[in-house]
Amino acid sequence: MKNYIRFLFSCGIIMFLSEIWKQYCITFIINECRYNWWYFPFQLCSIPMYLCLLLPFVSEKLREIFLTFLMTFGLMAGFFTFFDTSGLHYPYAPLTVHSYLWHVLLIIIGITVGICQSKNDTAGKFPGSAACYLICCVIATMINVISHPYGNINMFYISPYYAMSQKVFEDIARLTGNIAGIFIYIGTNIAGAYVIYLIWNSSHHQNFNHL
Protein backbone atom coordinates (compact mmCIF):
# COMPACT_ATOMS: atom_id res chain seq x y z
CA MET A 1 0.00 0.00 0.00
CA LYS A 2 1.27 3.45 -0.89
CA ASN A 3 2.38 5.58 2.04
CA TYR A 4 -0.18 8.29 1.36
CA ILE A 5 -2.98 5.69 1.38
CA ARG A 6 -1.85 4.78 4.89
CA PHE A 7 -1.91 8.48 5.75
CA LEU A 8 -5.45 8.84 4.39
CA PHE A 9 -6.61 5.74 6.27
CA SER A 10 -5.14 7.22 9.46
CA CYS A 11 -7.02 10.45 8.76
CA GLY A 12 -10.19 8.39 8.36
CA ILE A 13 -9.67 6.75 11.75
CA ILE A 14 -9.04 10.12 13.42
CA MET A 15 -12.15 11.58 11.78
CA PHE A 16 -14.27 8.58 12.77
CA LEU A 17 -13.19 8.72 16.42
CA SER A 18 -13.69 12.48 16.55
CA GLU A 19 -17.14 12.06 14.97
CA ILE A 20 -18.13 9.65 17.73
CA TRP A 21 -16.97 12.25 20.27
CA LYS A 22 -18.92 14.95 18.42
CA GLN A 23 -22.12 12.89 18.43
CA TYR A 24 -21.67 12.22 22.15
CA CYS A 25 -21.20 15.91 22.93
CA ILE A 26 -24.18 17.00 20.84
CA THR A 27 -26.44 14.35 22.35
CA PHE A 28 -25.43 14.41 26.01
CA ILE A 29 -23.92 17.86 26.58
CA ILE A 30 -25.90 20.13 24.25
CA ASN A 31 -29.17 18.31 23.65
CA GLU A 32 -29.90 16.85 27.10
CA CYS A 33 -29.62 13.15 26.12
CA ARG A 34 -31.78 13.46 23.02
CA TYR A 35 -30.34 12.64 19.61
CA ASN A 36 -30.51 15.50 17.12
CA TRP A 37 -30.95 14.10 13.61
CA TRP A 38 -29.77 17.40 12.12
CA TYR A 39 -26.20 16.35 12.98
CA PHE A 40 -26.39 12.83 11.55
CA PRO A 41 -22.97 12.34 9.87
CA PHE A 42 -23.92 12.20 6.21
CA GLN A 43 -23.13 15.60 4.78
CA LEU A 44 -20.78 16.21 1.86
CA CYS A 45 -18.10 17.11 4.40
CA SER A 46 -18.63 13.73 6.11
CA ILE A 47 -18.14 11.55 3.02
CA PRO A 48 -14.30 11.83 2.98
CA MET A 49 -14.26 10.12 6.40
CA TYR A 50 -16.00 7.06 4.98
CA LEU A 51 -13.90 7.01 1.80
CA CYS A 52 -10.61 7.26 3.72
CA LEU A 53 -11.66 4.30 5.87
CA LEU A 54 -12.54 2.25 2.78
CA LEU A 55 -9.46 3.04 0.68
CA PRO A 56 -7.27 0.11 1.80
CA PHE A 57 -10.05 -2.43 1.22
CA VAL A 58 -11.47 -1.59 -2.21
CA SER A 59 -10.33 -2.48 -5.71
CA GLU A 60 -7.78 -0.33 -7.52
CA LYS A 61 -10.46 1.04 -9.86
CA LEU A 62 -12.76 2.04 -7.00
CA ARG A 63 -9.80 3.44 -5.07
CA GLU A 64 -8.98 5.78 -7.96
CA ILE A 65 -12.58 6.99 -8.00
CA PHE A 66 -12.50 7.64 -4.24
CA LEU A 67 -9.18 9.46 -4.51
CA THR A 68 -10.52 11.66 -7.29
CA PHE A 69 -13.54 12.43 -5.10
CA LEU A 70 -11.27 13.46 -2.23
CA MET A 71 -9.17 15.80 -4.37
CA THR A 72 -12.22 17.42 -5.99
CA PHE A 73 -15.50 17.22 -4.06
CA GLY A 74 -13.76 16.79 -0.70
CA LEU A 75 -11.36 19.69 -1.29
CA MET A 76 -14.21 21.88 -2.54
CA ALA A 77 -16.35 21.08 0.51
CA GLY A 78 -13.55 21.96 2.90
CA PHE A 79 -12.52 25.13 1.10
CA PHE A 80 -15.92 26.71 0.44
CA THR A 81 -17.14 26.09 3.98
CA PHE A 82 -14.88 28.96 5.06
CA PHE A 83 -16.89 31.38 2.90
CA ASP A 84 -19.76 30.91 5.35
CA THR A 85 -18.60 29.72 8.77
CA SER A 86 -21.97 30.09 10.51
CA GLY A 87 -22.50 26.32 10.42
CA LEU A 88 -19.20 25.69 12.18
CA HIS A 89 -20.19 27.31 15.46
CA TYR A 90 -21.69 25.46 18.44
CA PRO A 91 -22.68 26.52 21.95
CA TYR A 92 -19.96 24.14 23.18
CA ALA A 93 -16.57 25.66 22.25
CA PRO A 94 -14.63 22.37 21.74
CA LEU A 95 -17.15 21.40 19.04
CA THR A 96 -16.52 24.69 17.24
CA VAL A 97 -12.78 23.97 17.29
CA HIS A 98 -13.49 20.45 16.03
CA SER A 99 -15.56 21.80 13.12
CA TYR A 100 -12.83 24.16 11.99
CA LEU A 101 -10.15 21.48 12.28
CA TRP A 102 -12.33 18.98 10.40
CA HIS A 103 -12.65 21.26 7.39
CA VAL A 104 -8.97 22.19 7.48
CA LEU A 105 -8.24 18.45 7.39
CA LEU A 106 -10.51 18.09 4.34
CA ILE A 107 -8.37 20.67 2.57
CA ILE A 108 -5.15 18.92 3.64
CA ILE A 109 -6.49 15.58 2.44
CA GLY A 110 -7.64 17.03 -0.88
CA ILE A 111 -4.31 18.76 -1.54
CA THR A 112 -2.33 15.67 -0.51
CA VAL A 113 -4.30 13.45 -2.89
CA GLY A 114 -4.15 16.03 -5.67
CA ILE A 115 -0.36 16.32 -5.45
CA CYS A 116 0.11 12.55 -5.29
CA GLN A 117 -2.35 11.83 -8.06
CA SER A 118 -0.92 14.55 -10.31
CA LYS A 119 2.13 12.32 -10.63
CA ASN A 120 -0.12 9.67 -12.20
CA ASP A 121 -2.64 9.72 -15.03
CA THR A 122 -6.00 10.70 -13.51
CA ALA A 123 -7.85 11.05 -16.83
CA GLY A 124 -11.23 9.37 -16.93
CA LYS A 125 -11.72 9.14 -13.17
CA PHE A 126 -13.93 12.19 -12.72
CA PRO A 127 -17.11 10.59 -14.13
CA GLY A 128 -16.77 7.91 -11.45
CA SER A 129 -16.34 10.48 -8.68
CA ALA A 130 -19.31 12.46 -10.01
CA ALA A 131 -21.36 9.25 -9.97
CA CYS A 132 -20.19 8.68 -6.39
CA TYR A 133 -21.43 12.16 -5.48
CA LEU A 134 -24.80 11.55 -7.14
CA ILE A 135 -25.17 8.21 -5.34
CA CYS A 136 -24.49 10.03 -2.07
CA CYS A 137 -27.16 12.59 -3.03
CA VAL A 138 -29.66 9.78 -3.56
CA ILE A 139 -28.75 8.21 -0.20
CA ALA A 140 -28.98 11.62 1.49
CA THR A 141 -32.44 12.16 -0.01
CA MET A 142 -33.58 8.73 1.19
CA ILE A 143 -32.32 9.56 4.70
CA ASN A 144 -34.07 12.94 4.56
CA VAL A 145 -37.40 11.43 3.51
CA ILE A 146 -37.36 8.34 5.74
CA SER A 147 -36.13 10.18 8.86
CA HIS A 148 -38.23 13.31 8.43
CA PRO A 149 -41.06 12.14 10.73
CA TYR A 150 -38.57 11.57 13.56
CA GLY A 151 -36.85 14.96 13.65
CA ASN A 152 -35.21 17.77 11.70
CA ILE A 153 -32.78 16.36 9.15
CA ASN A 154 -31.31 17.90 6.00
CA MET A 155 -28.47 15.78 4.66
CA PHE A 156 -26.48 17.43 1.83
CA TYR A 157 -28.87 20.39 2.32
CA ILE A 158 -31.16 18.94 -0.36
CA SER A 159 -34.18 17.92 1.71
CA PRO A 160 -37.47 18.66 -0.09
CA TYR A 161 -38.91 19.62 3.30
CA TYR A 162 -36.62 22.63 3.85
CA ALA A 163 -35.96 25.73 1.79
CA MET A 164 -32.46 25.86 0.33
CA SER A 165 -30.28 27.57 2.94
CA GLN A 166 -26.89 27.72 1.20
CA LYS A 167 -25.72 31.22 0.41
CA VAL A 168 -26.44 32.33 -3.19
CA PHE A 169 -28.48 29.17 -3.82
CA GLU A 170 -31.17 30.27 -1.36
CA ASP A 171 -31.72 33.31 -3.59
CA ILE A 172 -31.76 31.13 -6.70
CA ALA A 173 -34.27 28.77 -5.06
CA ARG A 174 -36.60 31.69 -4.31
CA LEU A 175 -36.69 32.48 -8.03
CA THR A 176 -36.81 28.95 -9.44
CA GLY A 177 -38.62 27.06 -6.70
CA ASN A 178 -36.95 24.88 -4.09
CA ILE A 179 -36.77 21.63 -6.07
CA ALA A 180 -35.24 23.36 -9.10
CA GLY A 181 -32.87 25.16 -6.73
CA ILE A 182 -31.75 21.81 -5.30
CA PHE A 183 -30.95 20.46 -8.78
CA ILE A 184 -29.07 23.66 -9.64
CA TYR A 185 -27.12 23.30 -6.39
CA ILE A 186 -26.21 19.68 -7.20
CA GLY A 187 -25.21 20.58 -10.76
CA THR A 188 -23.09 23.49 -9.54
CA ASN A 189 -21.27 21.23 -7.08
CA ILE A 190 -20.44 18.83 -9.89
CA ALA A 191 -19.28 21.69 -12.12
CA GLY A 192 -17.13 23.15 -9.33
CA ALA A 193 -15.54 19.80 -8.59
CA TYR A 194 -14.84 19.33 -12.31
CA VAL A 195 -13.05 22.67 -12.47
CA ILE A 196 -10.83 21.53 -9.58
CA TYR A 197 -10.25 18.24 -11.41
CA LEU A 198 -9.15 20.13 -14.54
CA ILE A 199 -6.72 22.18 -12.47
CA TRP A 200 -5.16 19.01 -11.02
CA ASN A 201 -5.09 17.37 -14.44
CA SER A 202 -3.39 20.44 -15.90
CA SER A 203 -0.82 20.23 -13.10
CA HIS A 204 -0.21 16.58 -14.02
CA HIS A 205 0.46 17.44 -17.66
CA GLN A 206 2.79 20.29 -16.69
CA ASN A 207 4.77 17.96 -14.45
CA PHE A 208 4.90 15.37 -17.23
CA ASN A 209 6.17 17.92 -19.77
CA HIS A 210 8.96 18.97 -17.40
CA LEU A 211 10.31 15.41 -17.20
Side-chain angles (χ1 to χ4, degrees), residues 164 166-178 180-182 184-185 188:
M164 176 64 65
Q166 302 294 79
K167 284 188 178 299
V168 178
F169 294 98
E170 60 183 352
D171 297 325
I172 294 174
R174 289 193 192 100
L175 296 174
T176 64
N178 199 54
I182 287 173
I184 292 170
Y185 173 71
T188 303

Side-chain angles (χ1 to χ4, degrees), residues 88-106:
L88 301 182
H89 294 266
Y90 293 82
Y92 185 53
L95 282 177
T96 300
V97 174
H98 170 270
S99 292
Y100 275 89
L101 292 178
W102 182 285
H103 291 86
V104 168
L105 183 57
L106 291 185

Side-chain angles (χ1 to χ4, degrees), residues 4 10 28 40 49 80 88 117 140:
Y4 80 97
S10 299
F28 295 102
F40 184 76
M49 172 182 68
F80 280 101
L88 301 182
Q117 290 298 98

Side-chain angles (χ1 to χ4, degrees), residues 16-68:
F16 179 72
L17 294 176
S18 72
E19 182 63 38
I20 293 175
W21 171 81
K22 172 185 174 181
Q23 296 296 322
Y24 173 85
C25 291
I26 290 174
T27 303
F28 295 102
I29 296 178
I30 295 178
N31 211 37
E32 299 179 344
C33 299
R34 291 171 297 178
Y35 188 73
N36 189 337
W37 282 97
W38 190 267
Y39 296 104
F40 184 76
F42 200 84
Q43 298 287 9
L44 179 56
C45 294
S46 307
I47 301 304
M49 172 182 68
Y50 301 115
L51 299 188
C52 286
L53 289 173
L54 289 172
L55 281 175
F57 310 107
V58 297
S59 66
E60 188 66 29
K61 182 178 180 180
L62 196 54
R63 182 181 297 172
E64 291 298 318
I65 290 173
F66 287 176
L67 290 171
T68 304

Side-chain angles (χ1 to χ4, degrees), residues 54-199:
L54 289 172
L55 281 175
F57 310 107
V58 297
S59 66
E60 188 66 29
K61 182 178 180 180
L62 196 54
R63 182 181 297 172
E64 291 298 318
I65 290 173
F66 287 176
L67 290 171
T68 304
F69 187 101
L70 291 171
M71 74 185 205
T72 54
F73 288 96
L75 177 59
M76 179 181 68
F79 181 75
F80 280 101
T81 296
F82 288 99
F83 283 83
D84 178 14
T85 60
S86 58
L88 301 182
H89 294 266
Y90 293 82
Y92 185 53
L95 282 177
T96 300
V97 174
H98 170 270
S99 292
Y100 275 89
L101 292 178
W102 182 285
H103 291 86
V104 168
L105 183 57
L106 291 185
I107 295 172
I108 293 172
I109 288 172
I111 292 175
T112 298
V113 176
I115 291 173
C116 293
Q117 290 298 98
S118 67
K119 299 176 183 177
N120 305 304
D121 185 7
T122 60
K125 302 299 187 301
F126 184 79
S129 68
C132 181
Y133 170 72
L134 290 174
I135 290 171
C136 289
C137 286
V138 171
I139 295 173
T141 299
M142 292 173 62
I143 295 173
N144 290 336
V145 172
I146 293 172
S147 302
H148 178 67
Y150 306 104
N152 298 328
I153 187 167
N154 191 8
M155 301 297 93
F156 274 48
Y157 300 103
I158 58 173
S159 172
Y161 302 107
Y162 297 96
M164 176 64 65
S165 60
Q166 302 294 79
K167 284 188 178 299
V168 178
F169 294 98
E170 60 183 352
D171 297 325
I172 294 174
R174 289 193 192 100
L175 296 174
T176 64
N178 199 54
I179 299 300
I182 287 173
F183 281 105
I184 292 170
Y185 173 71
I186 292 172
T188 303
N189 279 338
I190 294 174
Y194 184 62
V195 169
I196 296 175
Y197 171 79
L198 292 177
I199 293 172

